[in-house]
């Protein structure tokens, strides 16, 4: 299986004046190739976007949008240089609105692998002073507005009292947490835009996993190329006191990307393989991550489904619209 990776952390974006948003915004999503796909609009034009907490900024598809050239470049996961254009836009996500600067890049490989027309990637600058809750069981993203202390202005009952609170720090606009890998402390990016976990090839010797079972795989990012890598099931990761399940992990040399793009040395990326086992919230103001285990979330899902059936209410379903957007 070809695993997709969208862990592109761009330079700092400066948001300008933005509309006032509701205290809580709920956004339904579809999972395509283990990636979160949402519907949003740029300057009133609606299309599909990947939600990517491994990207600091919004990135638009150069096949659809034209930007102004800059002298700066950004880099793919394998260190390739990509021209950087920018465009000032008004973005709307289910009523959550921002006027921002977006980057424009080549989405050829991403569209080829997903089989979809993609308008862009939503990075973290959109949620700079917010908390977002990622719920893979309910297939819903919740955006909370926060006060100056980082507390929610309003809250859903199902998002109260997480089972674990993990401190994080933000490097170049993306969340990084400390992970224990067989006794060694590793810095890992939390990335909804990665369909598999990624670890620096240099860390493979610290794991007890059976290296002889490593398999050939590939990843893609912005640009046009697929890159061959090795994949392996990793069993030794812990976050705080929470052990992680066995997770597929891709091993990639990250030294070039650390040097050119991230500006901080990270050891890997936690993507879908990790995120799908928990409900995960990222509070960008408090710099904390909250976790609920899958068992408690699935119990809530069973109760919610029962209530939906009793009240004859259907959840939004737009999967049939995935390819129905004009160029």
């Amino acid at each position: 299986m070809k695993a997709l990776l969208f862990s592109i952390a761009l330079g700092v974006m400066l948001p300008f004046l933005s509309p006032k948003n509701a205290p809580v915004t709920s956004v339904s999503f579809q999972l395509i190739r283990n990636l979160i796909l949402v519907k949003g609009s740029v300057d009133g034009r609606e299309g599909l976007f990947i939600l990517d907490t491994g990207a600091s900024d919004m990135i638009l598809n150069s096949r659809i949008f034209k930007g102004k050239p800059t002298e700066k470049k950004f880099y793919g996961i394998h260190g390739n240089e990509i021209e950087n254009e920018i465009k000032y836009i008004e973005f709307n996500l289910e009523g959550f609105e921002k006027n921002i600067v977006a980057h424009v890049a080549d989405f050829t490989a991403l569209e080829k692998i997903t089989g979809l027309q993609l308008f862009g990637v939503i990075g973290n600058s959109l949620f700079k002073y917010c908390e977002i809750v990622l719920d893979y069981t309910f297939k819903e993203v919740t955006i909370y507005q926060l006060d100056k202390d980082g507390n929610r202005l309003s809250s859903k009952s199902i998002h109260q009292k997480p089972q674990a609170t993990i401190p994080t720090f933000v490097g170049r606009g993306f969340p990084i947490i400390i992970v224990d890998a067989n006794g060694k402390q590793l810095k890992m990016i939390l990335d909804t835009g990665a369909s598999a976990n990624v670890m620096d090839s240099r860390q493979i010797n610290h794991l007890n996993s059976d290296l002889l079972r490593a398999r050939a795989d590939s990843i893609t990012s912005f640009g046009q190329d697929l890159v061959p890598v090795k994949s392996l099931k990793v069993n030794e990761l812990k976050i705080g006191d929470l052990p992680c399940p066995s997770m597929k992990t891709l091993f990639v040399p990250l030294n070039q990307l650390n040097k050119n793009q991230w500006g901080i040395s990270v050891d890997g990326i936690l993507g879908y393989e990790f995120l799908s086992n928990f409900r995960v919230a990222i509070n960008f103001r408090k710099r904390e991550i909250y976790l609920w285990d899958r068992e408690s979330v699935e119990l809530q899902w069973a109760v919610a489904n029962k209530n939906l059936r009793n009240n004859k209410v259907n959840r939004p379903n737009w999967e049939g619209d995935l390819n129905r957007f004009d160029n």
Side-chain angles (χ1 to χ4, degrees):
M1 177 186 292
K2 292 182 174 66
L4 306 179
L5 180 66
F6 303 92
S7 55
I8 302 299
L10 303 176
V12 176
M13 181 197 300
L14 298 176
F16 47 95
L17 184 63
S18 295
K20 185 176 181 180
N21 292 300
V24 183
T25 303
S26 297
V27 182
S28 62
F29 68 79
Q30 293 291 325
L31 277 176
I32 305 297
R33 287 300 197 83
N34 296 339
L35 300 167
I36 293 178
L37 269 289
V38 297
K39 289 200 296 187
S41 66
V42 171
D43 298 333
R45 190 177 180 187
E46 188 177 62
L48 287 174
F49 293 82
I50 298 166
L51 179 64
D52 186 357
T53 60
S56 59
D57 301 327
M58 174 161 286
I59 310 163
L60 300 177
N61 188 342
S62 61
R63 186 177 59 79
I64 302 172
F65 300 96
K66 302 302 178 184
K68 295 181 178 180
T70 69
E71 295 181 357
K72 296 182 180 180
K73 298 182 184 296
F74 62 93
Y75 299 85
I77 187 64
H78 43 296
N80 59 313
E81 287 188 347
I82 302 171
E83 295 298 326
N84 185 10
E85 298 181 351
I86 62 170
K87 180 178 178 62
Y88 295 86
I89 65 168
E90 179 181 310
F91 183 71
N92 187 305
L93 181 64
E94 296 290 343
F96 181 83
E97 297 181 325
K98 290 282 186 178
N99 298 313
I100 57 175
V101 180
H103 298 263
V104 183
D106 187 342
F107 275 59
T108 300
L110 307 187
E111 292 190 314
K112 182 178 180 180
I113 294 301
T114 60
L116 299 173
Q117 174 177 281
L118 300 172
F119 267 39
V121 162
I122 301 170
N124 295 325
S125 60
L126 201 70
F127 314 115
K128 187 174 180 182
Y129 299 114
C130 301
E131 178 185 329
I132 60 172
V133 183
L134 308 166
D135 198 322
Y136 284 76
T137 301
F138 282 83
K139 290 188 178 179
E140 184 178 71
V141 177
T142 303
I143 307 167
Y144 287 114
Q145 297 291 327
L146 306 175
D147 64 20
K148 62 182 179 62
D149 296 317
N151 299 312
R152 300 170 187 165
L153 299 181
S154 183
S155 186
K156 297 180 179 180
S157 59
I158 61 172
H159 294 159
Q160 300 295 334
K161 195 174 181 181
Q163 291 167 305
T165 298
I166 310 296
T168 183
F169 58 98
V170 178
R172 293 284 182 93
F174 45 85
I176 299 172
I177 60 177
I178 301 299
V179 176
D180 184 285
N182 197 27
K184 184 174 183 180
Q185 303 297 297
L186 303 179
K187 296 192 290 292
M188 306 281 283
I189 296 171
L190 199 66
D191 187 357
T192 59
S195 65
N197 294 346
V198 173
M199 195 172 290
D200 195 309
S201 302
R202 294 171 294 182
Q203 304 301 333
I204 198 167
N205 293 329
H206 297 287
L207 305 172
N208 288 326
S209 299
D210 187 353
L211 303 185
L212 296 177
R213 294 182 178 272
R215 302 177 60 183
D217 214 316
S218 64
I219 59 175
T220 187
S221 182
F222 298 104
Q224 302 184 19
D225 301 324
L226 295 175
V227 179
V229 297
K230 293 290 186 180
S231 69
L232 192 66
K233 287 283 188 178
V234 173
N235 307 304
E236 298 88 5
L237 300 187
K238 286 181 61 178
I239 298 178
D241 295 326
L242 294 176
C244 296
S246 177
M247 298 182 292
K248 176 183 177 180
T249 302
L250 307 182
F251 288 88
V252 182
L254 295 180
N255 53 311
Q256 193 68 26
L257 202 58
N258 275 325
K259 177 182 177 181
N260 290 334
Q261 186 58 58
W262 291 336
I264 183 173
S265 181
V266 300
D267 301 297
I269 296 162
L270 292 174
Y272 172 81
E273 292 283 323
F274 169 78
L275 294 164
S276 61
N277 285 286
F278 301 92
R279 174 188 286 145
V280 181
I282 307 171
N283 188 314
F284 287 96
R285 198 148 211 167
K286 287 186 177 182
R287 297 189 175 186
E288 293 178 336
I289 289 174
Y290 312 124
L291 299 176
W292 295 259
D293 66 24
R294 194 178 186 105
E295 183 179 358
S296 63
V297 175
E298 287 180 344
L299 177 60
Q300 289 180 341
W301 174 242
V303 172
N305 259 343
K306 182 179 180 180
N307 290 337
L308 287 174
R309 288 194 299 270
N310 290 341
N311 296 316
K312 296 183 179 181
V313 176
N314 295 318
R315 286 178 54 77
N317 183 358
W318 46 269
E319 188 171 3
D321 296 329
L322 285 174
N323 285 312
R324 298 178 187 174
F325 296 100
D326 297 328
N327 288 329

